[in-house]
Amino acid sequence: MSDPVRFLNAFAHSLGVMTLYPEGHPSREKAVDTAYDELDGLTMSGGAKPAFTFLEDEVVFGRERLRELKSWDWGKRLVAAGIQRLEFERKVTRDEF
């Protein structure tokens, strides 16, 4: 599994957990920490700014289609919510995340 795929799976997991548990709950904090750590790894490794584009049945990282996420349910959910792009212009802190 590639780093972008690991981040998106951890991000989706944290979104799901955040709907179940209140702020400060250990499960919620662990899920957010995991997603943040994956994002931090993306921002450190390539030097480029992580950018994801969500299309109807595709997820694109930079210019690379993430074949592992074809027809990814969370991609469809994000598009339905009006989120077509997730881009990090700079390194963010855990609190900002």
Side-chain angles (χ1 to χ4, degrees), residues 3-82:
D3 292 342
V5 172
R6 272 198 308 271
F7 165 69
L8 286 177
N9 282 325
F11 179 67
H13 177 72
S14 69
L15 291 176
V17 168
M18 289 176 82
T19 64
L20 297 173
Y21 300 106
E23 189 171 337
H25 190 280
S27 294
R28 180 178 172 150
E29 296 305 311
K30 181 179 180 193
V32 172
D33 286 342
T34 300
Y36 177 75
D37 289 344
E38 291 295 337
L39 174 62
D40 195 48
L42 283 178
T43 56
M44 290 175 41
S45 63
K49 302 170 192 165
F52 298 90
T53 303
F54 304 102
L55 306 171
E56 194 63 33
D57 283 329
E58 299 284 341
V59 178
V60 179
F61 176 67
R63 293 178 172 253
E64 174 189 352
R65 283 192 347 219
L66 300 176
R67 297 184 197 287
E68 302 102 310
L69 297 179
K70 181 148 179 73
S71 298
W72 187 50
D73 186 51
W74 273 97
K76 293 176 185 178
R77 287 181 182 188
L78 292 169
V79 169

